[in-house]
Amino acid sequence: MGLFSRLFGKRSELASNEQLPVVHVPDSDERMNWAIEKARATMHHFQDSLSEPTPAQQYFSVKVLIDDGTSREHIWLTTPSFDDEGNLYGEVGNKPVYVSSVSINQRIGIDPQFITDWMIIENGRLIGGYTIRAIREGLPDHEVADFDRQVGLFIDEGVDYFTHDFSTPEGAILCLEDAYDEQDIEKAVSCKNFYEEAKLLLRKMNDRFNSPEIVEATAEVLRLSFIKNLEEKGFPVFHNLLRAFPARTKITDNLYLITEFCIFPDGEKSRQQLYTFRDEDGWKVLNVAE
């Protein structure tokens, strides 16, 4: 995956005269592929913000994949807009390095399936920009400060805007946290898969006697324990917390370990890792990793 000399396009008064080096990332890079997947899963937030921007939102840009038949390049488009069919339009914000079918400042239209990232700048803070974050996370620690200086943005854990449903592991976690805030035990239980949680627990215990009957019995114990814990200790509170999901570790095609950051109103942060499993109804939440 070839990136270009600047990580993103012109930003009028925010633009820097410095040139960032060209960064080459292979198509097989898991960190970059996760960044693109996350950007596509949260694109709805970008479009909602673009249609009704707040005074704090100073800049909008979308990265797209351009293929001219010979070369491929991921390029940021400035002044983005969408038509009624969802097609994206914008100005090429950088001088292309590899493709020749588009040129800087050219306004182009492109199918949304070729979107690979989006970014919003809110009072100098990066929102989205997942491929930028992926590049940053791959740097040695001693190079991060210089990277931030050249980019000229405040980059923290960010805030992720996954849809609250079971189509993604992160969305399933958000659904469970919604159930906690609503203090709805039945809804919380529906966000879990206790059978797969039992299998995972028994596997970690090196239990050789994990027959279906034992798994079923263990799952029921976990379900009852989950309910009892909520009834006796109360529900965790996630209302007014900002949440980011910086890492997703694939264990199998249907089992992922998700890292979640919660940012409290006072700026304090907590980090947790949760297993998620995809069953016939979508992604569900298992236990917290120890």
Side-chain angles (χ1 to χ4, degrees):
M1 182 185 298
L3 301 181
F4 38 85
S5 59
R6 291 181 189 272
L7 291 179
F8 41 84
K10 54 187 179 180
R11 292 187 289 155
S12 63
E13 74 278 8
L14 297 175
S16 166
N17 291 324
E18 292 191 71
Q19 295 290 313
L20 296 173
V22 174
V23 180
H24 298 276
V25 182
D27 289 338
S28 59
D29 186 87
E30 291 185 5
R31 183 185 287 111
M32 188 61 71
N33 288 334
W34 162 227
I36 293 172
E37 184 175 347
K38 185 189 286 192
R40 288 171 172 166
T42 58
M43 191 66 198
H44 62 94
H45 176 74
F46 179 89
Q47 292 179 276
D48 290 344
S49 299
L50 184 64
S51 63
E52 296 184 19
T54 68
Q57 294 173 331
Q58 305 156 315
Y59 177 82
F60 293 84
S61 186
V62 180
K63 184 187 278 186
V64 297
L65 174 63
I66 304 292
D67 188 334
D68 65 3
T70 302
S71 301
R72 290 152 44 101
E73 186 169 349
H74 295 255
I75 292 180
W76 288 100
L77 302 183
T78 62
T79 61
S81 63
F82 293 85
D83 65 17
D84 293 339
E85 285 72 45
N87 296 308
L88 169 67
Y89 297 86
E91 293 183 15
V92 176
N94 297 84
K95 183 178 181 180
V97 175
Y98 301 105
V99 298
S100 58
S101 58
V102 299
S103 58
I104 190 168
N105 298 330
Q106 179 183 355
R107 188 160 185 84
I108 65 172
I110 193 166
D111 190 287
Q113 67 175 311
F114 296 107
I115 291 173
T116 56
D117 201 2
W118 60 266
M119 63 177 290
I120 302 172
I121 299 177
E122 293 185 358
N123 289 330
R125 178 172 178 251
L126 179 65
I127 306 297
Y130 296 113
T131 56
I132 297 172
R133 296 176 187 276
I135 294 170
R136 183 177 184 267
E137 290 165 6
L139 295 174
D141 290 344
H142 68 275
E143 294 182 10
V144 171
D146 187 57
F147 179 90
D148 290 351
R149 180 185 62 80
Q150 293 185 68
V151 171
L153 297 174
F154 176 63
I155 304 177
D156 57 7
E157 290 83 3
V159 180
D160 293 327
Y161 296 93
F162 286 93
T163 302
H164 294 225
D165 61 20
F166 300 106
S167 64
T168 65
E170 297 77 15
I173 292 171
L174 292 170
C175 285
L176 176 60
E177 294 169 354
D178 289 344
Y180 289 153
D181 283 338
E182 296 166 18
Q183 299 191 9
D184 188 328
I185 289 181
E186 184 176 345
K187 184 175 178 179
V189 168
S190 71
C191 297
K192 301 271 291 179
N193 185 319
F194 294 104
Y195 187 84
E196 293 298 331
E197 185 172 319
K199 287 170 62 176
L200 185 62
L201 176 64
L202 293 169
R203 193 179 309 130
K204 285 188 173 185
M205 295 171 58
N206 294 318
D207 192 333
R208 298 180 181 179
F209 303 101
N210 55 353
S211 65
E213 293 78 16
I214 292 177
V215 175
E216 288 281 5
T218 304
E220 180 62 10
V221 170
L222 291 172
R223 187 185 72 86
L224 294 175
S225 176
F226 177 74
I227 293 172
K228 182 179 180 181
N229 186 69
L230 293 178
E231 290 175 338
E232 294 183 352
K233 296 183 179 180
F235 293 81
V237 177
F238 289 88
H239 182 63
N240 287 334
L241 299 188
L242 301 178
R243 281 157 283 184
F245 299 90
R248 175 195 281 187
T249 303
K250 178 180 177 180
I251 300 171
T252 70
D253 287 343
N254 294 321
L255 180 64
Y256 283 13
L257 180 63
I258 305 300
T259 300
E260 179 186 34
F261 271 98
C262 293
I263 301 96
F264 296 84
D266 63 1
E268 289 293 317
K269 302 172 185 176
S270 68
R271 175 182 179 273
Q272 63 176 344
Q273 290 186 302
L274 302 100
Y275 289 101
T276 58
F277 183 84
R278 180 170 53 192
D279 59 24
E280 63 275 7
D281 297 318
W283 287 94
K284 297 297 176 66
V285 185
L286 308 186
N287 56 310
V288 176
E290 297 180 358

